[in-house]
Amino acid sequence: MNRRIPAIMLKEVNHILRDSRTLMIVILMPIMQLVIFGYAMNMEIRGIRIGVYDYRDSALSRELVHKFAATESFQISYPQKPIGEMNRYFYQRAFHAFLIIPADFDHTMVRQNQAEVQLIIDASDPNAATMIQNYSFAVVNMFNDAERLLPIRVKTNILYNPDLKSAYFFVPGLIAMILVMISALLTSIAISKEKELGTMEQILVSPIKAHEIIIGKVLPYILLALIDAMLVLLIGKYLFKVPFVGSFPVFLAFTMLYVIVALSLGLLISTIARSQQAAMMMAITMTMLPTMMLSGFMFPIASMPKALQLITRFVPARYYLQIIRGIMLKGNGFAQLMQPGLALILMAAVLLILAIKRFSLRLK
Amino acid sequence: MNAEYMIRTEDLTKVFGNFTAVDKMNIEIMPGQIFGFLGANGAGKTTAIRMLCGLLKPSSGKAMVAGYDVRVDSEAIKRKIGYMSQRFSLYDDLSIGENIRFYSGIYQVPYKVAMERAKDSLKMVGLDLSMKVMTGSLPLGFKQRLALVCALLHDPPLLILDEPTSGVDPMARRAFWNVINSLAEQGKTIIVSTHFMDEAEYCHRLIIMRSGSVLVDDSPRALKEKYGSRNMQELFLLLAGAVNE
């Protein structure tokens, strides 16, 4: 029986339990990150001030305005100043947008079966402007629906996150980012620290094999990373009220896979970096930015240039994000998540083999 | 090659870039010998030792250790070697017992057997400590002796000690050498590198190295007679002094 892998594991567990700094990283960092990012990244818009110039002032036009007022997002008022001085309101940030209903609103509506209203939006914050636009379309659609006026209309149905709550979107993304970052960080120190202390030399003169060291070092950290996963999931669920539709064992299985990818990446870094400091820097830069930018967390992959799209294929979070959104929001099971799951298995295998190959049993 | 040698090298050489750390080393070490590697810092002692342990690949030449070729059978060699590096290399954040458990694990020595051996070795090196004591809390002299105990867990026929006494006070050094002597009496072959010349007197045979080359290779007594020196210190200054000018 091989006793070397258990020996390395037991030693690592002892290191972890005695090192309060590591425990702090593992427990406090994810909580802080999730809470801070979570509140900072809140992208819902509430209390958008819309000024209405209703030149028709009929039952029908008031009904449209009423539809706007009925949502939580909009605050409707009728500005005092004439429409020509609209810019002033924008300068003073008194309004985010204006809704202008022309005098022939009812007329064209009945005669031509369609009417135009104008929406003028302050786009100095483009994100907010896009959201105001989308919300307004939704309101106009509701109006059309209610009045049954248009024979053909585009109806947008938003599934899985009907209120477009941003927590639904950033909590899975943050889980993906925090897990990859912390896991890579933990193992990146695991070997570089022993090189620095000189204890690696003592291990290398023993008849141990490279894969025994690597596997013995990965296994204890899987448990640690899974504890983190539970932690962020609980915060997401209870603090940010993100639903969890899917099955927990499925979540656990895929999360374990993802964590193994990240831990292996950390080990690979560890075999390359010469000092603990360098290893930590590499682990953070190699995980944080790609996960934020190139995983589909912040920006949709489909809208990236082809070259970047290609790069995203090498970002593990890209696959995990697909998986975790699928599980949390859609209730996907193993069958639907085969493809990203296989991608992660492939990545874990490649990274582990690279780490073992790179890990030289001889000194440099 | 003759199997009666514990170690035999032929033109063993290690080159780092354009720096030759060990240059055509030819030595023969018999079982049961205490063999000294002497020389100033940077003379090539540690590089030579690391090649013999299988930690470094030789650039050229040949070395047989315990009957195995270092290029081919480094794993088999590693089973035969107990090694102590010049840097203290046990884990400070593990207890004595945990360190022993770890090293017995990576050498696949059954825990009970390892514990028995550890108790004997601890007695031999004069350490009477609880297994629960944290290694980090021990003074350096104790740590060095504990490291030796760990290096002996798999009962290796060959012990390689790279400057085991650097940074240790004279009393502890003397005690350490008594232990090395009794290990040699038990039949173990021991290679010790040191830059303390007085320690050379304890060796059965020794080499003095300078800039990667072996200057002399003989017993301390023969060397003193040959060069007419009263002690090793004098001999060393005579031979290797050029480095220290």
Side-chain angles (χ1 to χ4, degrees), chain A residues 57-345:
Chain A
D57 201 19
S58 66
L60 201 58
S61 74
R62 279 196 297 274
E63 183 53 34
L64 177 62
V65 174
H66 182 75
K67 279 270 187 287
F68 270 87
T71 72
E72 274 183 8
S73 313
F74 298 121
Q75 276 174 19
I76 300 298
S77 58
Y78 296 89
Q80 305 291 318
K81 293 198 179 93
I83 193 160
E85 289 183 53
M86 197 194 291
N87 272 340
R88 277 227 195 147
Y89 284 124
F90 279 140
Y91 292 156
Q92 294 161 355
R93 290 171 203 83
F95 289 97
H96 296 101
F98 290 96
L99 175 69
I100 301 156
I101 303 173
D104 59 355
F105 181 67
D106 287 24
H107 184 71
T108 51
M109 195 109 196
V110 176
R111 283 282 178 81
Q112 296 163 17
N113 222 1
Q114 64 174 56
E116 278 186 353
V117 295
Q118 194 178 18
L119 192 69
I120 298 174
I121 306 170
D122 174 3
S124 54
D125 177 350
N127 275 335
T130 311
M131 259 178 278
I132 294 171
Q133 191 181 2
N134 290 337
Y135 280 37
S136 304
F137 282 163
V139 172
V140 171
N141 275 335
M142 274 191 329
F143 173 76
N144 288 342
D145 226 13
E147 303 300 325
R148 303 202 169 279
L149 287 168
L150 297 178
I152 299 168
R153 57 186 168 270
V154 177
K155 196 172 161 218
T156 312
N157 238 341
I158 298 167
L159 295 179
Y160 310 121
N161 185 3
D163 306 326
L164 286 175
K165 284 229 167 74
S166 56
Y168 289 22
F169 139 90
F170 70 71
V171 169
L174 282 177
I175 292 178
M177 193 179 86
I178 291 169
L179 284 183
V180 75
M181 207 169 97
I182 291 185
S183 306
L185 202 57
L186 284 175
T187 44
S188 75
I189 315 174
I191 286 175
S192 49
K193 185 177 174 186
E194 295 219 32
K195 279 195 214 158
E196 247 179 65
L197 289 176
T199 49
M200 191 49 86
E201 198 176 325
Q202 199 68 45
I203 295 180
L204 293 182
V205 290
S206 78
I208 200 159
K209 295 186 179 73
H211 74 266
E212 292 168 335
I213 299 178
I214 298 287
I215 292 171
K217 287 212 174 240
V218 166
L219 288 176
Y221 290 104
I222 291 179
L223 191 69
L224 214 56
L226 283 181
I227 292 173
D228 263 354
M230 298 303 106
L231 216 59
V232 281
L233 186 66
L234 284 178
I235 295 173
K237 196 162 179 223
Y238 293 103
L239 193 63
F240 294 108
K241 308 266 186 292
V242 177
F244 190 92
V245 186
S247 110
F248 186 68
V250 176
F251 169 81
L252 210 57
F254 280 106
T255 300
M256 187 137 99
L257 189 57
Y258 178 59
V259 159
I260 293 174
V261 173
L263 293 170
S264 313
L265 177 68
L267 280 176
L268 182 61
I269 290 171
S270 198
T271 62
I272 298 165
R274 292 200 170 266
S275 69
Q276 285 187 72
Q277 289 280 338
M280 286 170 83
M281 285 302 297
M282 277 170 82
I284 290 175
T285 45
M286 283 178 74
T287 53
M288 196 161 136
L289 280 179
T291 303
M292 288 222 297
M293 305 294 174
L294 299 174
S295 68
F297 171 17
M298 297 277 202
F299 312 108
I301 293 168
S303 59
M304 290 175 191
K306 278 274 175 290
L308 276 187
Q309 286 195 20
L310 205 70
I311 296 174
T312 62
R313 289 173 182 274
F314 300 98
V315 179
R318 173 199 163 132
Y319 305 103
Y320 183 64
L321 212 55
Q322 231 174 310
I323 291 168
I324 192 180
R325 281 178 178 159
I327 294 172
M328 289 178 75
L329 305 179
K330 298 184 200 165
N332 278 174
F334 279 113
Q336 292 102 326
L337 300 172
M338 279 288 273
Q339 216 188 346
L342 281 174
L344 285 182
I345 290 175

Side-chain angles (χ1 to χ4, degrees), chain B residues 175-212:
Chain B
F176 200 87
W177 273 98
N178 285 337
V179 173
I180 291 175
N181 260 321
S182 56
L183 285 169
E185 277 162 21
Q186 290 169 27
K188 294 196 188 300
T189 312
I190 299 161
I191 295 177
V192 186
S193 81
T194 180
H195 56 254
F196 295 113
M197 289 311 126
D198 55 322
E199 293 186 347
E201 309 275 0
Y202 298 107
C203 298
H204 298 141
R205 192 181 177 92
L206 60 90
I207 54 171
I208 296 179
M209 294 184 76
R210 194 176 75 189
S211 347

Side-chain angles (χ1 to χ4, degrees), chain B residues 83-120:
Chain B
Y83 174 75
M84 241 181 95
S85 77
Q86 47 189 301
R87 286 169 78 187
F88 173 70
S89 52
L90 299 182
Y91 298 93
D92 276 339
D93 60 338
L94 298 186
S95 70
I96 294 176
E98 285 162 347
N99 268 305
I100 290 171
R101 179 180 275 262
F102 172 65
Y103 284 108
S104 69
I106 61 172
Y107 281 98
Q108 314 242 56
V109 180
Y111 184 58
K112 271 192 179 157
V113 177
M115 265 317 187
E116 285 304 312
R117 285 183 189 158
K119 275 177 192 152
D120 291 346

